[in-house]
Amino acid sequence: MSEATHDHSQTEPPSSYALRVRAIETVLTEKGLIDPVSVDAFIDVLENKVGPRNGARVVARAWSDEAYKRRLLADGTSAIAELGFSGGEGAEMVVVENTPGVHNVVVCTLCSCYPWPTLGLPPAWYKSFAYRSRVVIEPRTVLAEFGLRIPDETEIRVWDSNSEVRYFVLPERPPGAENRTEAELAGLVTRDSMIGTGLPKVIP
Amino acid sequence: MNGLHDLGGMHGFGPVVTPDGEEVFRERWERRIAGILNLVAFAGVCGSDQFRRAAEAMTPEAYLTTPYFGRWLHMVETMLMENGVAGFEELAAGHRSPDNPPWDGPVLAPAEVWPAYRSAGSPRRETTLPPRFAVGDVVLVRNRNPQGHTRLPRYARGKSGVVTRMHGCFVYPDTNAHGMGEQPQHLYNVRFTAHELWGEQARDAVHLDMWDSYLE
């Protein structure tokens, strides 16, 4: 395209990040290491196939099936795979249970490790320097910033994901959840309740 | 290494900002690099330990000012060059040099992406080595400051905790990240009280995974 015909309505130049990514994609495609359609397919995995909807199904099953919950707490990887969820950044899963005396919260202080098959890619705040630096040293203050006030008599357990084991919080079932279907229960489970920075929705 | 990435316990980053309705990606290039990084890993160029080492090797200034997926971009560029897959000139020019051979390793076809992702392997390894510790044992974390990659955060070094879970035997990142072999060893989950780590009287605790070599 000559300068004369260049469409100046697109005034935003591509960022240097965008240019560098385009360079990598072109070089690797020309080398035959990647297929751009496979890149699309992987983006589809990350945007649509994994995500907190999967984790919500795990929690709902545990809330409605005591035997499943026992399997989930004993061997998270296998029990989560029973529902069809497995894969990268989730090949080794440990599920930790919130109880009236214990509140669990997950972080990765060294990078941003997060259980992709059940929760998808992490939200920006999970990757932020503020969350990574502070939740291990002042968990109560950080949780209060999420609107979560943990009673003094409840112990907070912070799980710093420094290995390839991925931690997943099983929140407490909200009161009044008996006689609800699994699908209804899954609708109560928030992403943050499975990280430990939130609670499930209250039953109206 | 004692890099800026090792953030646990630092002060000064302000409140945690939690916008509503957050999307996984904001910009197109973030999507592309996320897909590319995963495909580069599945092609066998390198794994998570090497990628993390590349991010940690950024200067502190660069680490602080580069957005999250910009660090992924840096990790991919570094690993492609380090492993001889693409040269600096090729990445700068945005085209493969005819002097550089085509890729002869595995390539994921579009239909193979989802099955490959779902069956992604674990760094768990078989071992005949007996574990040195058992659940309930009190352990002391070594005080070590390696120049290279480690998954032992500074805030736990020299601290004492209790083994709460035996994970089994796992690839050791401190050697694997440097191409010095997997050297798998036992991995334990260790509970540290807030009092031990921070001098706080709260009943709270932090749990960390510890490879055998991290413990006295």
Side-chain angles (χ1 to χ4, degrees):
Chain A
M1 188 185 293
S2 75
E3 194 56 33
T5 58
H6 186 82
D7 180 2
H8 285 282
S9 65
Q10 294 178 346
T11 49
E12 281 293 304
S15 74
S16 68
Y17 294 120
L19 292 172
R20 284 160 64 192
V21 172
R22 189 182 302 160
I24 289 177
E25 182 161 358
T26 306
V27 169
L28 295 184
T29 302
E30 290 173 354
K31 278 185 188 290
L33 192 149
I34 61 169
D35 175 342
V37 184
S38 295
V39 179
D40 296 336
F42 220 113
I43 294 166
D44 181 54
V45 169
L46 298 174
E47 285 195 301
N48 301 313
K49 288 193 158 58
V50 300
R53 219 158 286 286
N54 295 353
R57 283 188 51 203
V58 172
V59 172
R61 174 66 56 87
W63 281 348
S64 48
D65 180 342
E66 189 60 34
Y68 179 78
K69 178 178 157 182
R70 282 196 297 274
R71 292 201 296 283
L72 183 67
L73 295 173
D75 181 349
T77 312
S78 299
I80 289 169
E82 283 180 38
L83 301 190
F85 310 130
S86 64
E89 296 297 313
E92 295 285 344
M93 293 292 299
V94 168
V95 178
V96 291
E97 182 186 19
N98 283 355
T99 63
V102 175
H103 182 88
N104 296 284
V105 57
V106 178
V107 65
C108 170
T109 61
L110 294 173
C111 41
S112 296
C113 297
Y114 192 73
W116 293 3
T118 42
L119 295 185
L121 288 185
W125 60 258
Y126 184 89
K127 302 177 287 190
S128 71
F129 298 145
Y131 184 74
R132 287 168 52 194
S133 63
R134 292 178 52 219
V135 77
V136 286
I137 188 170
E138 47 176 353
R140 286 172 193 271
T141 311
V142 170
L143 293 182
E145 287 167 17
F146 283 85
L148 201 55
R149 299 193 186 277
I150 305 297
D152 286 347
E153 60 274 21
T154 297
E155 172 189 314
I156 298 179
R157 288 183 192 156
V158 185
W159 299 81
D160 188 353
S161 315
N162 66 322
S163 79
E164 292 303 326
V165 177
R166 297 285 167 269
Y167 293 92
F168 178 97
V169 176
L170 175 60
E172 284 188 89
R173 189 174 71 174
E178 307 79 12
N179 308 319
R180 300 280 171 154
T181 67
E182 252 182 70
E184 288 172 326
L185 291 174
L188 303 174
V189 182
T190 63
R191 175 194 64 200
D192 290 4
S193 73
M194 297 178 279
I195 306 170
T197 53
L199 297 177
K201 292 176 195 161
V202 176
I203 295 175
Chain B
M1 65 180 289
N2 294 343
L4 195 88
H5 68 283
D6 186 358
L7 288 164
M10 280 185 73
H11 290 136
F13 286 111
V16 180
V17 178
T18 55
D20 291 331
E22 198 166 23
E23 294 174 5
V24 171
F25 302 109
R26 291 169 307 169
E27 298 188 47
R28 182 180 184 278
W29 69 266
E30 298 179 333
R31 286 183 176 75
R32 300 313 288 176
I33 198 61
I36 292 166
L37 179 140
N38 278 285
L39 290 177
V40 166
F42 275 95
V45 173
C46 72
S48 304
D49 293 325
Q50 293 85 0
F51 276 131
R52 291 193 188 110
R53 170 168 59 78
E56 292 157 14
M58 298 176 82
T59 65
E61 297 93 325
Y63 192 93
L64 265 176
T65 53
T66 304
Y68 180 76
F69 286 110
R71 299 202 294 273
W72 282 35
L73 168 58
H74 172 86
M75 282 152 49
V76 173
E77 287 174 339
T78 304
M79 283 298 125
L80 292 176
M81 290 190 284
E82 185 175 306
N83 289 288
V85 176
F88 178 83
E89 294 76 11
E90 291 177 295
L91 294 179
H95 285 289
R96 178 192 156 208
S97 156
D99 307 334
N100 215 336
W103 177 248
D104 61 357
V107 180
L108 276 191
E112 296 170 325
V113 166
W114 177 229
Y117 171 79
R118 294 187 70 192
S119 58
S122 155
R124 180 186 292 280
R125 298 290 181 263
E126 293 302 314
T127 184
T128 54
L129 285 171
R132 282 201 297 147
F133 304 105
V135 170
D137 284 357
V138 175
V139 291
L140 177 64
V141 180
R142 288 185 171 146
N143 181 13
R144 59 212 293 269
N145 291 273
Q147 295 275 348
H149 177 71
T150 187
R151 295 295 286 179
L152 173 55
R154 263 176 285 184
Y155 73 82
R157 297 176 193 167
K159 306 292 186 183
S160 177
V162 176
V163 175
T164 64
R165 185 185 284 265
M166 314 285 288
H167 284 310
C169 185
F170 281 79
V171 171
Y172 186 46
D174 299 40
T175 53
N176 193 45
H178 293 276
M180 291 156 61
E182 294 191 342
Q183 306 196 24
Q185 48 179 266
H186 284 280
L187 182 70
Y188 314 89
N189 188 265
V190 177
R191 169 192 173 84
F192 300 89
T193 63
H195 179 72
E196 171 73 6
L197 294 177
W198 318 110
E200 298 290 337
Q201 291 305 318
R203 64 173 67 220
D204 303 330
V206 177
H207 287 244
L208 274 162
D209 290 331
M210 291 284 156
W211 279 266
D212 208 274
S213 291
Y214 293 174
L215 301 172
E216 290 284 359

